[in-house]
């Protein structure tokens, strides 16, 4: 291995460590606890080393969001692959989405609530975000109904899941009714 290859590998490993540490700290203490100073202390590198990878917290949030979006896409596809029929796939999709948000609240916030400097719903949207949306469309597109644009239907359904997630997390909806909310949503789909 050349010196250049070794340096690139070490740089990539430092970047993974920064993202993993930021994610861990955010999940334990919230995003307000994630500062470059605290990250530098935890990973035992100087702040200038962090800044050589990320210009600041916003870019770190963006990196966590991209990693999380990739994980969310995998989770949704795994759940829907085991389901039999369109309606069962939508139930599985909703369950996987809500479970991901519950297990990874800080990552969920990085993807959908915080400013990570990422473009959404544009031509320059990063691939992991496009793929997570594609994972939604794969199941929801087949239940959109005649004459309904699958992407638009997916946005509305996704907005419903996001609303259930954020309103439940904030205590504005009782968590014990989450499954019934999803059932109401899915049972009214136009598919048989």
């Amino acid at each position: 291995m050349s010196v250049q290859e070794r340096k690139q590998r070490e740089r990539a490993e430092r970047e993974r460590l920064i993202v993993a540490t930021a994610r861990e700290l955010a999940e334990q203490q919230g995003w307000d606890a994630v500062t470059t100073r605290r990250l530098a202390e935890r990973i035992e590198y100087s702040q200038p080393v962090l800044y050589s990878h990320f210009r600041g917290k916003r870019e770190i949030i963006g990196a966590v969001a991209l990693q999380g979006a990739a994980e969310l896409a995998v989770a949704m596809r795994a759940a829907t692959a085991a389901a039999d029929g369109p309606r069962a796939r939508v139930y599985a999709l909703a369950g996987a989405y809500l479970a991901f948000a519950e297990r990874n609240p800080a990552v969920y916030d990085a993807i959908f609530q915080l400013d990570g400097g990422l473009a959404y719903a544009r031509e320059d949207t990063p691939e992991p975000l496009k793929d997570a949306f594609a994972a939604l469309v794969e199941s929801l597109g087949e239940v959109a109904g005649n004459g309904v644009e699958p992407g638009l239907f997916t946005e509305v359904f996704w907005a419903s899941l996001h609303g259930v997630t954020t309103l439940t997390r904030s205590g504005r909806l009782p968590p014990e009714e989450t499954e019934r909310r999803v059932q109401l949503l899915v049972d009214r789909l136009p598919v048989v």
Side-chain angles (χ1 to χ4, degrees), residues 24-97:
E24 179 184 319
L25 186 57
E27 292 293 2
Q28 291 171 352
Q29 300 177 31
W31 279 104
D32 287 343
V34 179
T35 64
T36 54
R37 185 170 49 90
R38 288 185 81 186
L39 286 173
E41 289 170 4
R42 283 204 174 195
I43 65 172
E44 298 178 343
Y45 282 103
S46 67
Q47 282 183 288
V49 169
L50 262 74
Y51 285 116
S52 74
H53 290 273
F54 300 99
R55 287 182 290 212
K57 182 176 176 177
R58 181 179 187 220
E59 284 188 6
I60 293 169
I61 290 170
V64 170
L66 293 177
Q67 185 182 74
E71 292 170 10
L72 177 59
V74 167
M76 290 188 297
R77 285 190 176 108
T80 59
D84 186 29
R87 192 175 303 280
R89 278 189 284 284
V90 175
Y91 270 116
L93 175 85
Y97 183 95

Side-chain angles (χ1 to χ4, degrees), residues 105 108-109 113 162-175 178:
Y108 187 86
D109 287 347
Q113 303 281 94
H162 179 69
V164 168
T165 298
T166 56
L167 291 170
T168 302
R169 279 180 51 195
S170 67
R172 287 167 174 82
L173 292 176
T178 298

Side-chain angles (χ1 to χ4, degrees), residues 121-142:
R122 296 190 338 213
E123 195 64 36
D124 60 338
T125 297
E127 201 53 45
L129 298 176
K130 287 180 181 179
D131 190 50
F133 187 74
L136 289 164
V137 174
E138 288 163 13
S139 292
L140 294 168
E142 66 182 332

